[in-house]
Amino acid sequence: MAYDYQPFDYVPPPGLTAPEAKKPVVIVGAGPIGLAMAIELAEHGVASVVLDDNNVVSVGSRAICWSKRSLEIFDRLGIAEKALDKGVTWQVGRTFHRDQEVFNFDLLPEAGHKMPAFINLQQYYVEQFLVERAQEIPLIDLRFKNRVVGVDPGAAGAILDIETPDGPYALEASYVLACDGARSPIRGMLGLEFEGEVFEERFLIADIEMQADFPSERHFWFEPEFHTGQSALLHKQPDNIYRIDLQLGWDANPEHEMQPEIVIPRIVKVVGHDDFRLDWVSVYTFQCRRLAEFVHGPVIFVGDSAHVVSPFGARGGNGGLQDVDNLGWKLAAVLEGRAGDSLLKSYDRERGFGADENIANSARATKFMTPGDGVERMFRDQVLHLAGQTAFARGWVNSGRLSRPCTYPSKGPDAPSMPEGTCPGAVAPDAPVAEGWLLSELGRDLVLLAIGAAPPGGLDCRVLNLPVTPELQARYLGEAKAGFYLIRPDQVIAARWTEGDATQIADAIRVVWEGG
């Protein structure tokens, strides 16, 4: 069943007939990141205008793997239920060398989490759900067929020149968020260049519709018999759509390789028959690149406009949503006067760290998947051989280490006797609580989480007081009998203590708003 691409309505903007008042935020790009950014800001009380030069969701499945952390963010944005209902849930990955399974892994080996490890869901559905959610929110002004052709940043904001089917107009904003993708026109208008590496390798993406009994798992092959000397990936999506990625080599001609008469015989070799319909085809090049800085005065880059990685590992869309999660509360605090520029600088610092981690992981995966002749290939082949026989070598096999949120460098107060996974800088792990789920209870406030102890009074944050449960003991307390966690609005742990000292907690709260 092919997706039904329905255009969104174009409405002539008011700026065509009279100058508009200055906007607090203008978001350029109505893909998953721009739409998520608008919803996140609205949930913090910030109005935005979203501009997009198109009026339809992205064509083709594009980003399909959405991680547990992204699903937790979707839950706060109000689309998780739709995404889970439509998506294909999975948590097992299998790696093959030629026709032999080398090993498999389980991404969520423990119970007690509201969200699964991953779902597969085509990007067009994610965009559709986000548009529908944004249209419910009065603080969001969605403007389709509004193409930004110029940006003039200044000390107090930026002025955008915009073209529409009815003519041009200008729009002024305190902040412009460039969520306009890897080929970001805004980046080009400001004369900014990516830094990093483009790998001499090309891969074919083919989405096919077919009836099949392939399990809901990630299957990755090194040198499969159906695609000699190369690598391949198979993923199941909703609507009986299957994603197949095939390594082509640097000498492949993209236009030639996308022709149906070339693609279909390749797919027949993978699935063993021709009873399928070709839904979408693309050829992409591996690249791991980023802007040196994400914040340029009133213009802030978010998602692929700020950083791009090779697609294996599902780090693109998931990393962009982590940008949204990090930036939303900080920009809202600055706009309401609660915080200054140092908080926005922490977005650049923290998400730059996250981008570097993603790029490092993606580059390592790329080099393992596409080794050069000689020592690199010999090492890769020996690792695959060993991994089929011994457990210690399996951690060296890299077919795209799957996305997980980074742990930001943090100087926040710490109690090292508590579990390593909940140190300052880490995302708070979910757990069942009497009211439902911990992350749902945290919401998007600054929260002092008190577990098994009475918190001090008079603090400038919301307090959540919970009894000790086996899951909270294991994930948050470890050997401690009680504990206190200061958790930021993006659900990142800022500090933790085994005893609640009001002065220390108040100092930590101040540091959060200062971007420390």
Side-chain angles (χ1 to χ4, degrees):
M1 180 184 70
Y3 180 81
D4 185 15
Y5 293 92
Q6 291 294 322
F8 302 115
D9 292 337
Y10 160 74
V11 178
L16 291 172
T17 56
E20 297 185 58
K22 185 177 182 179
K23 309 298 182 183
V25 177
V26 171
I27 298 169
V28 183
I33 305 309
L35 292 164
M37 194 77 250
I39 298 168
E40 177 67 16
L41 287 171
E43 295 292 340
H44 287 286
V46 175
S48 66
V49 176
V50 182
L51 306 173
D52 197 273
D53 60 0
N54 209 334
N55 67 336
V56 71
V57 296
S58 296
V59 175
S61 61
R62 300 183 185 271
I64 65 166
C65 295
W66 304 97
S67 70
K68 176 176 177 290
R69 183 57 191 158
S70 291
L71 296 173
E72 291 165 353
I73 295 170
F74 284 165
D75 201 23
R76 301 208 324 269
L77 298 178
I79 71 160
E81 186 173 344
K82 284 184 176 180
L84 289 168
D85 286 346
K86 186 64 181 179
V88 173
T89 299
W90 68 278
Q91 65 189 62
V92 173
R94 300 186 185 276
T95 300
F96 301 84
H97 187 207
R98 300 189 176 97
D99 61 345
Q100 297 295 316
E101 181 174 335
V102 178
F103 68 95
N104 59 71
F105 56 85
D106 189 332
L107 292 164
L108 194 62
E110 65 177 8
H113 293 263
K114 182 179 182 181
M115 295 298 161
F118 268 88
I119 66 166
N120 285 354
L121 181 65
Q122 296 93 320
Q123 182 172 320
Y124 44 71
Y125 279 120
V126 173
E127 291 184 18
Q128 174 191 325
F129 298 157
L130 288 169
V131 167
E132 291 168 353
R133 175 70 180 123
Q135 289 174 332
E136 298 172 349
I137 302 175
L139 288 173
I140 300 175
D141 181 356
L142 269 174
R143 300 185 185 183
F144 296 104
K145 305 293 284 186
N146 279 240
R147 183 165 69 95
V148 176
V149 296
V151 57
D152 182 15
I159 298 175
L160 297 170
D161 295 319
I162 304 159
E163 289 184 352
T164 76
D166 294 319
Y169 73 104
L171 197 59
E172 185 178 8
S174 297
Y175 289 94
V176 173
L177 306 186
C179 304
D180 51 346
R183 295 186 176 91
S184 173
I186 299 296
R187 197 175 63 234
M189 292 171 198
L190 295 184
L192 301 172
E193 298 286 346
F194 270 157
E195 301 173 354
E197 186 174 5
V198 177
F199 294 91
E200 293 186 353
E201 188 56 79
R202 290 192 172 98
F203 272 76
L204 172 79
I205 291 178
D207 279 356
I208 62 171
E209 181 183 2
M210 68 175 178
Q211 297 287 338
D213 58 359
F214 291 121
S216 300
E217 300 174 343
R218 179 188 195 259
H219 285 193
F220 188 95
W221 291 267
F222 291 98
E223 302 180 315
E225 293 182 356
F226 57 76
H227 194 54
T228 307
Q230 308 279 12
S231 58
L233 176 73
L234 174 69
H235 259 306
K236 184 178 181 180
Q237 304 176 66
D239 304 331
N240 293 316
I241 300 291
Y242 288 81
R243 159 74 63 82
I244 297 171
D245 289 54
L246 297 173
Q247 183 182 355
L248 296 177
W250 184 241
D251 295 333
N253 182 305
E255 295 301 322
H256 174 75
E257 295 293 344
M258 288 192 295
Q259 299 303 311
E261 62 269 23
I262 303 300
V263 175
I264 290 174
R266 291 188 186 278
I267 303 305
V268 169
K269 290 181 179 179
V270 179
V271 300
H273 59 81
D274 62 359
D275 187 16
F276 58 82
R277 181 185 64 82
L278 199 58
D279 185 69
W280 177 65
V281 178
S282 181
V283 172
Y284 59 87
T285 301
F286 274 9
Q287 53 179 314
C288 296
R289 301 193 293 163
R290 58 164 286 193
L291 284 174
E293 296 179 346
F294 300 165
V295 179
H296 292 261
V299 181
I300 303 174
F301 291 85
V302 189
D304 284 353
S305 70
H307 45 76
V308 291
V309 292
S310 303
F312 286 97
R315 298 178 180 278
N318 292 302
L321 287 173
Q322 290 160 32
D323 289 353
V324 170
D325 209 27
N326 189 287
L327 178 60
W329 67 277
K330 295 177 178 180
L331 185 55
V334 170
L335 285 166
E336 71 182 18
R338 176 159 195 163
D341 286 345
S342 62
L343 190 57
L344 285 185
K345 290 178 181 177
S346 75
Y347 164 74
D348 183 89
R349 181 179 70 251
E350 291 183 339
R351 291 313 302 155
F353 176 86
D356 287 341
E357 184 175 284
N358 279 338
I359 285 171
N361 279 295
S362 187
R364 283 194 289 267
T366 300
K367 291 174 181 177
F368 191 88
M369 292 162 55
T370 61
D373 292 334
V375 174
E376 283 188 9
R377 181 168 293 277
M378 182 175 68
F379 171 78
R380 198 279 301 272
D381 291 347
Q382 288 301 312
V383 166
L384 289 172
H385 176 72
L386 283 170
Q389 303 177 31
T390 58
F392 80 89
R394 291 167 190 166
W396 299 345
V397 177
N398 197 335
S399 61
R401 302 280 166 78
L402 287 158
S403 173
R404 57 180 300 172
C406 68
T407 297
Y408 299 126
S410 175
K411 298 179 181 178
D414 189 15
S417 61
M418 300 169 94
E420 181 180 355
T422 53
C423 67
V427 172
D430 205 4
V433 296
E435 296 80 3
W437 295 97
L438 176 60
L439 293 186
S440 299
E441 290 299 308
L442 293 176
R444 50 172 47 84
D445 299 322
L446 179 65
V447 175
L448 179 69
L449 171 63
I451 304 173
L459 298 174
D460 186 20
C461 69
R462 183 162 66 86
V463 175
L464 179 61
N465 198 351
L466 297 176
V468 177
T469 65
E471 291 85 1
L472 291 176
Q473 184 76 53
R475 293 173 198 175
Y476 283 87
L477 298 182
E479 298 301 320
K481 295 181 179 180
F484 299 88
Y485 280 80
L486 183 64
I487 301 178
R488 303 182 336 187
D490 55 356
Q491 300 180 338
V492 169
I493 295 164
R496 61 182 181 175
W497 306 265
T498 53
E499 297 180 357
D501 180 281
T503 301
Q504 291 181 351
I505 295 173
D507 285 344
I509 291 171
R510 174 183 53 79
V511 170
V512 166
W513 295 116
E514 291 176 350

